[in-house]
């Protein structure tokens, strides 16, 4: 089985960590500008996009596309990327690869990492554009260097397979797979396991291989479940454990892995056994868990708890979680916080994110264990890194308050945004309030930074000026974003870089800053950092001219 396939990013997948700072920039822009018209327009774009995400999360693709388009037409990069992805998949709109690529490129050129990755996939597959692996790798790398998880995986694949202008390099491939794996991407975790198992790019280590197989298997990746079964069957990286082998083969077989079905038959444990004597002893832990679920569904609570207990004592993680829930809620057993905490810990140690989250709650509240907020944060983080939204939100709140770890507002926002982008309501509500508060507090500091940069520029202290401009630009101050763009465009201090210049010009221009609109129009007219496009040039020149910017008016007259 070869699962080393390129992954096309679904709009705002839970695993995509880099979406957080990109979205944070755009939301902050909508609240930090003094120009009321610009603020209103940009705020509408953010709101429209969030409505689109909500529709998407509720299975209404057509309505999602309507809201994406409203935001995309206002120049909002995340919405443009989501709209392009919708066209690519034909989700809520007729599939149109060329239209998909058009929107993905617009967003990608603004630095949106999801769009950059997806544009790379389009080039790799030749959908909507001529096939070009070198161009594909270029866009993957741009997104991956920003931390976009799917792109990191795709860069790893490029190095593993060789292509796109890069030579096969197993060590570099493992490096990028590991980056994605550490963000919780199951396919990357599986590939890291394969590389450790085969000694590709790393020293062969079967114990480390099994660790990564299990991380992916717990997320439901069938190939990883089969690999874990093989490891337990042969005792590779662990002691031989036939029950654990059967458990994982069973999970993989349910997803159609033929090798796992054959393994179950060879072990005398076919995935579907005829019903026999109900009193016959069941020794397979997964079958016990399944039987417990059946009893529970049929309201035979006592029988369900007996099955869960037997399976849990044999190490079956799902049963341990079910048993912990029962003790926590007092269903079928007497309510017992200490026993609930004990079984949550057992399941958590096997990598189950929901159990890890509950262990964190236990330590935070002192339920069944002594209260320990540092220990709570440790377990919240374990679950959060696997993409479990409630844990991401709780970790963000703890980080914001300094509960169990030093306070860090930037990191707090990152985790809350991760949860919000999965549609987790408490995180979505908290995010808007948090960003608005941050912007109101920081606007005076940002302006002072920019003014200090201007002072340094007049004193011919170019490096110091650029440093101030960059800090203010990263806080979404439009004049500073324009100044950073001008530095890249003119090659002041740093090497001339038209693409980077255009990125900053666009961020500033979309906030209504006339000099940036003029500069962006000029870039389109000359083909500097973007494809030459007279219509786009005129569009941005007109925006600047409408504000009375004389160079733009003169350019339009010519």
């Amino acid at each position: 089985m070869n699962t080393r396939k390129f992954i096309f990013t679904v709009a705002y997948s839970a695993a995509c960590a880099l979406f957080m700072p990109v979205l944070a920039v755009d939301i902050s822009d909508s609240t930090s500008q003094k120009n009321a018209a610009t603020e209103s327009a940009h705020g509408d774009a953010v709101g429209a996009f969030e409505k689109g995400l909500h529709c998407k999360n509720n299975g209404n693709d057509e309505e999602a596309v309507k809201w994406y388009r409203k935001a995309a037409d206002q120049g909002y990069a995340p919405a443009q990327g989501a709209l392009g992805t919708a066209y690519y998949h034909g989700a809520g709109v007729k599939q149109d690869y060329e239209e998909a690529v058009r929107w993905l490129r617009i967003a990608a050129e603004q630095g949106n990492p999801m769009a950059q990755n997806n544009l790379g996939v389009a080039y790799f597959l030749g959908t909507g554009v001529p096939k070009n692996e070198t161009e594909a790798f270029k866009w993957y790398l741009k997104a991956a260097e920003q931390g976009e998880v799917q792109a990191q995986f795709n860069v790893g694949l490029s190095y593993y397979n060789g292509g796109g202008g890069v030579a096969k390099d197993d060590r570099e491939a493992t490096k990028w797979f590991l980056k994605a794996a550490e963000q919780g991407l199951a396919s990357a975790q599986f590939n890291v396991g394969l590389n450790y198992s085969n000694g590709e790019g790393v020293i062969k280590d079967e114990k480390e291989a099994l660790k990564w197989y299990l991380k992916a298997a717990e997320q439901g990746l069938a190939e990883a479940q089969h690999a874990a079964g093989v490891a337990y069957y042969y005792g590779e990286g662990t002691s031989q454990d036939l029950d654990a082998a059967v458990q994982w083969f069973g999970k993989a077989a349910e997803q159609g892995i033929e090798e796992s079905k054959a393994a179950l038959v060879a072990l005398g444990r076919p995935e579907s056994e005829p019903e026999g004597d109900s009193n016959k002893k069941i020794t397979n832990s997964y079958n016990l868990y399944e039987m417990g679920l059946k009893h529970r569904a049929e309201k035979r609570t006592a029988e369900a708890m007996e099955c869960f207990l037997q399976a849990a004592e044999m190490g079956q993680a799902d049963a341990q979680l079910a048993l912990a829930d029962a003790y926590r809620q007092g269903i079928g057993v007497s309510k017992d916080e200490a026993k609930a905490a004990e079984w949550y810990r057992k399941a958590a140690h096997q990598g189950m994110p929901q159990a890890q989250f509950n262990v964190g709650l236990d330590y935070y509240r002192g339920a069944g264990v002594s209260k320990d907020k540092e220990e709570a944060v440790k377990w919240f983080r374990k679950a959060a890194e696997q993409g479990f939204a409630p844990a991401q939100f709780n970790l963000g709140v703890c980080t914001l308050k300094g509960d169990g770890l030093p306070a860090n507002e930037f990191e707090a926002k990152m985790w809350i945004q991760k949860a919000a982008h999965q549609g987790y309501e408490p995180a979505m509500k908290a995010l808007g309030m948090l960003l608005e508060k941050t912007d109101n507090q920081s606007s005076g500091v940002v302006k002072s930074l920019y003014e200090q940069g201007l002072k340094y520029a007049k004193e011919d202290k170019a490096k110091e000026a650029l440093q101030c401009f960059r800090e203010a630009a990263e806080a979404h101050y439009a004049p500073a974003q324009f100044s950073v763009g001008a530095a890249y465009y003119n090659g002041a201090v740093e090497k001339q870089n038209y693409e980077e210049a255009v990125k900053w010009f666009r961020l500033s221009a979309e906030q209504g800053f006339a000099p940036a609109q003029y500069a962006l129009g000029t870039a389109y007219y000359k083909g500097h950092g973007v494809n030459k496009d007279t219509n786009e040039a005129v569009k941005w020149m007109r925006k600047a001219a409408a504000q009375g910017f004389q160079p733009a008016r003169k350019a339009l007259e010519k």
Side-chain angles (χ1 to χ4, degrees), residues 151-338:
Q152 291 173 339
F153 181 78
N154 289 345
V155 169
L157 286 177
S158 298
Y159 279 112
Y160 182 81
N161 296 318
V166 297
K168 179 175 172 60
D169 187 332
D170 289 339
R171 181 174 295 181
E172 194 72 3
T174 302
K175 181 187 85 173
W176 285 103
F177 285 148
L178 191 58
K179 287 178 181 288
E182 288 173 344
Q183 290 200 60
L185 186 65
S187 297
Q189 292 169 340
F190 175 60
N191 280 8
V192 170
L194 283 177
N195 284 8
Y196 273 110
S197 180
N198 298 325
E200 294 178 316
V202 289
I203 297 172
K204 184 179 176 71
D205 186 334
E206 291 180 344
K207 185 176 181 180
E208 191 71 3
L210 178 58
K211 181 188 86 172
W212 287 106
Y213 288 152
L214 289 173
K215 286 179 180 289
E218 291 289 356
Q219 294 195 63
L221 187 68
E223 290 82 358
Q225 292 169 341
H226 178 77
V230 170
Y232 279 114
Y233 181 80
Y234 289 108
E236 295 174 346
T238 184
S239 301
Q240 187 181 48
D241 186 338
L242 294 184
D243 276 336
V246 169
Q247 172 196 336
W248 288 114
F249 285 143
K251 287 179 179 287
E254 287 178 355
Q255 297 193 61
I257 301 299
E258 295 299 326
E259 293 90 337
S260 291
K261 294 178 183 179
L264 289 172
V265 172
L267 288 166
R269 312 278 182 84
E271 57 176 331
S272 297
E273 295 183 353
E275 291 186 8
D277 183 356
S278 61
N279 295 319
K280 180 180 178 181
K281 184 178 180 180
I282 303 173
T283 58
N284 178 275
S285 62
Y286 187 72
N287 285 352
L288 275 168
Y289 169 66
E290 290 286 308
M291 184 64 72
L293 291 179
K294 183 178 179 182
H295 285 315
R296 189 170 67 182
E298 294 172 355
K299 308 298 183 184
R300 295 198 295 270
T301 307
E303 291 88 342
M305 291 303 104
E306 182 180 350
C307 289
F308 288 152
L309 179 59
Q310 289 184 51
E313 288 175 341
M314 295 166 70
Q316 215 288 325
D318 295 295
Q320 291 170 342
L321 179 62
L323 193 60
D325 287 340
Y327 276 117
R328 170 61 44 83
Q329 299 169 35
I331 299 175
V333 291
S334 299
K335 189 172 182 178
D336 190 323
E337 293 284 8

Side-chain angles (χ1 to χ4, degrees), residues 28-98:
S28 295
D29 286 348
S30 69
T31 58
S32 63
Q33 300 307 305
K34 293 182 178 180
N35 184 293
T38 302
E39 177 177 349
S40 176
H42 202 60
D44 288 345
V46 176
F49 177 62
E50 294 289 349
K51 288 179 181 177
L53 289 181
H54 182 74
C55 293
K56 177 72 176 176
N57 291 335
N58 285 287
N60 192 337
D61 288 337
E62 291 185 5
E63 193 67 13
V65 166
K66 292 179 184 178
W67 289 109
Y68 290 160
R69 194 182 303 280
K70 287 179 182 292
D73 286 340
Q74 296 180 56
Y76 191 53
Q80 293 166 340
L83 183 58
T85 303
Y87 272 110
Y88 194 98
H89 290 299
V93 68
K94 184 178 179 181
Q95 190 174 53
D96 186 335
Y97 289 133
E98 292 184 358

